[in-house]
Amino acid sequence: MDLFDFKDGREGYYGQFGGSFLPEILTATVEELKACFHECKKDPSFWAEYEQLMHQYSGRPTPVTYLPNLSKQLGGAQIYVKREDLNHTGSHKINNVMGQGLICQRLGKKRVIAETGAGQHGFATATMAAKFGFDCKIYMGEVDVKRQRPNVFWMENLGAEVVAVQDGQRTLKDAINECMRDWVSNMADTHYVLGTACGPHPFPEMVSYFQSIIGMEANRQIKELTGGRLPDKVFACVGGGSNAMGIFQGFFDDDVELIGCEAGGLGPGLGKHAARLAYSDASVGVAQGFKTFFLQNDDGNMLETQSVAAGLDYIGINPIFAYLWEQGRVRFEAATNEEVRETLKLVMKTEGLIPALESTHAFAKAVEEAPKMGKDEIILINQSGRGDKDIFTVADALDDAHWREFIKEKAAQYES
Ligand SMILES: *Cc1c(COP(=O)(O)O)cnc(C)c1O
């Protein structure tokens, strides 16, 4: 399945979704980016350079791990996990930013900017900028800067400037607007490192291209582990949709069911979740430079979203997924905050893995479906990141008394 062969349709469109809705002033810059990316894509030495970089810098290929204890306890399908948590900086986000770092280098640009909500993408971008020697500015809503201090701490110590955006609701949407303003003013020397498979063309295609390294490895690795078998189902969590696109691309042409797991938050109901497709609350619109399903009200104003996992808390969805969902190629489900908390406890205790809260959404749906499958069937889950970063949220969610004591004592130390 070649989603990026636009011969029969409009370039940058997936069915009716995608496109590029940008201020005209950016046209030349985006054309330059597109041309550079397509040249890289055609050049086999570029992918080889990328793979080598990811091998040396981030420990790729990440392994696939069999989970015998969990499989046995659930009594159904055999469960395997692709370990993106083992990347440098702790998630799949590094795949995209290092790829865009190479592109930025080829473009001859010296400065990168990015927007970030939970801070994970800003952290990865700051890491990449330090490694490549780029100047780096990260835009983040003031509310998120306060909420995500550990990531802000790392970004600043990696040499990035973090701008706390004061406009609007002072969260991700406002950071995106401010970042776009910077790009318009500084496009000659600046590359905008978009963090997920969203935004205007060519970003969905480019981000998917770099993340496809996950699926290529996983296809080969699962066959090695199972005597040549492919999984029956692949589960991945979906925020913007980059890690899921990454692993799914390894299996599009095979008879494998693909399941995207969104943030069900507090359950169905406008404003209570970030499940754009699974709960059918979203509608088609144009925002942030592209056309897709957004969580918005009848006037086109964006709704609040809710999720225990900050990385899934996003109003729009990858336009390629909007298309594949309509085509029936990818099924979408939602896991609620409560399901995620319970699943995290189960996975930690049975297998000693600590998936990120985002990734745990994929585990939750796999854990629900595994018992209904045969013992000879195979599930593959993409563990997009590691959960250590979530210690504050998880400790709160589990209402851990010892942790509360620890935080109080720390705070007291600073007061004295
Ligand atoms: C950011 C993030 C996500 C969500 O982003 P996608 O683009 O949907 O992959 C998922 N998992 C982790 C660990 C993240 O940091």
Side-chain angles (χ1 to χ4, degrees):
M1 183 185 231
D2 188 356
L3 285 161
F4 309 111
D5 175 1
F6 301 115
K7 265 202 302 275
D8 302 326
R10 291 172 296 166
E11 187 189 331
Y13 278 87
Y14 312 92
Q16 62 159 315
F17 307 106
S20 177
F21 300 82
L22 282 172
E24 207 170 304
I25 187 169
L26 280 170
T27 308
T29 298
V30 172
E31 283 301 320
E32 179 195 23
L33 171 63
K34 223 162 64 182
C36 178
F37 166 58
H38 285 139
E39 217 163 88
C40 291
K41 210 173 158 179
K42 270 189 283 179
D43 173 6
S45 75
F46 179 78
W47 186 262
E49 181 186 359
Y50 171 64
E51 268 189 332
Q52 185 58 23
L53 175 65
M54 295 314 291
H55 171 59
Q56 289 196 357
Y57 194 64
S58 195
R60 300 206 74 92
T62 58
V64 166
T65 306
Y66 174 50
L67 307 191
N69 307 332
L70 186 63
S71 305
K72 190 161 171 223
Q73 182 165 333
L74 296 172
Q78 305 306 308
I79 302 174
Y80 293 79
V81 174
K82 176 67 170 161
R83 301 291 304 281
E84 290 304 296
D85 58 309
L86 296 178
N87 277 297
H88 178 42
T89 69
S91 82
H92 70 292
K93 288 205 165 69
I94 196 83
N95 303 332
N96 169 44
V97 299
M98 294 306 277
Q100 290 200 45
L102 290 175
I103 296 270
C104 183
Q105 220 171 29
R106 290 218 177 181
L107 286 167
K109 297 191 172 178
K110 304 266 181 288
R111 179 173 179 268
V112 291
I113 54 172
E115 85 298 335
T116 194
Q120 290 297 109
H121 173 58
F123 175 28
T125 303
T127 304
M128 177 274 277
K131 157 110 182 128
F132 280 91
F134 300 140
D135 284 339
C136 179
K137 200 179 242 187
I138 304 293
Y139 290 92
M140 201 167 174
E142 192 190 28
V143 171
D144 291 328
V145 170
K146 290 213 171 104
R147 281 196 290 218
Q148 307 290 341
R149 179 51 58 183
N151 281 329
V152 174
F153 170 85
W154 286 125
M155 284 181 246
E156 289 178 343
N157 280 282
L158 287 159
E161 183 187 340
V162 179
V163 178
V165 176
Q166 314 283 342
D167 291 348
Q169 301 184 311
R170 294 168 291 140
T171 57
L172 180 62
K173 181 165 60 68
D174 314 295
I176 292 175
N177 292 339
E178 200 59 35
C179 194
M180 198 54 90
R181 250 170 253 146
D182 181 321
W183 203 25
V184 168
S185 322
N186 299 294
M187 56 201 170
D189 74 337
T190 299
H191 175 62
Y192 180 3
V193 185
L194 216 142
T196 186
C198 286
H201 181 64
F203 284 105
E205 179 183 351
M206 187 164 69
V207 176
S208 300
Y209 170 72
F210 290 123
Q211 295 294 1
S212 73
I213 196 167
I214 305 173
M216 281 188 204
E217 289 175 6
N219 183 299
R220 190 183 70 235
Q221 291 166 318
I222 192 87
K223 285 191 282 201
E224 278 165 16
L225 287 167
T226 61
R229 303 250 330 263
L230 285 171
D232 296 280
K233 300 185 185 190
V234 179
F235 293 84
C237 67
V238 181
S242 70
N243 86 88
M245 260 311 279
I247 195 156
F248 291 172
Q249 281 173 101
F251 303 96
F252 273 147
D253 296 327
D254 303 304
D255 183 19
V256 173
E257 195 183 6
L258 307 172
I259 302 112
C261 306
E262 297 180 282
L266 303 169
L270 290 181
K272 291 187 175 170
H273 60 82
R276 295 124 315 175
L277 299 179
Y279 288 160
S280 313
D281 279 347
S283 52
V284 177
V286 173
Q288 296 167 1
F290 72 122
K291 184 174 178 186
T292 192
F293 281 94
F294 287 100
L295 288 164
Q296 55 191 338
N297 66 17
D298 293 342
D299 301 328
N301 293 319
M302 297 302 156
L303 295 169
E304 294 282 297
T305 50
Q306 211 288 336
S307 172
V308 68
L312 301 187
D313 214 341
Y314 180 57
I315 47 167
I317 189 163
N318 176 342
I320 309 168
F321 277 156
Y323 170 69
L324 293 173
W325 176 69
E326 277 197 345
Q327 298 288 309
R329 181 64 188 98
V330 180
R331 168 157 66 91
F332 282 83
E333 301 290 344
T336 62
N337 293 345
E338 192 47 40
E339 288 173 310
V340 166
R341 280 185 208 108
E342 290 309 311
T343 305
L344 179 58
K345 286 193 252 180
L346 174 69
V347 174
M348 288 197 290
K349 295 226 161 100
T350 54
E351 293 285 353
L353 293 180
I354 311 177
L357 286 165
E358 288 83 1
S359 322
T360 308
H361 286 68
F363 279 83
K365 293 294 113 175
V367 161
E368 185 180 311
E369 295 184 23
K372 302 172 199 154
M373 296 168 68
K375 287 198 173 60
D376 58 342
E377 291 190 278
I378 298 168
I379 280 177
L380 177 64
I381 303 168
N382 196 32
Q383 184 171 342
S384 54
R386 59 179 153 81
D388 322 26
K389 70 175 175 66
D390 299 324
I391 188 164
F392 289 90
T393 319
V394 172
D396 268 353
L398 304 185
D399 199 19
D400 189 290
H402 292 127
W403 177 260
R404 218 166 30 233
E405 272 309 304
F406 166 73
I407 294 291
K408 275 190 199 149
E409 278 173 26
K410 271 275 164 213
Q413 273 175 25
Y414 281 103
E415 271 156 25
S416 60

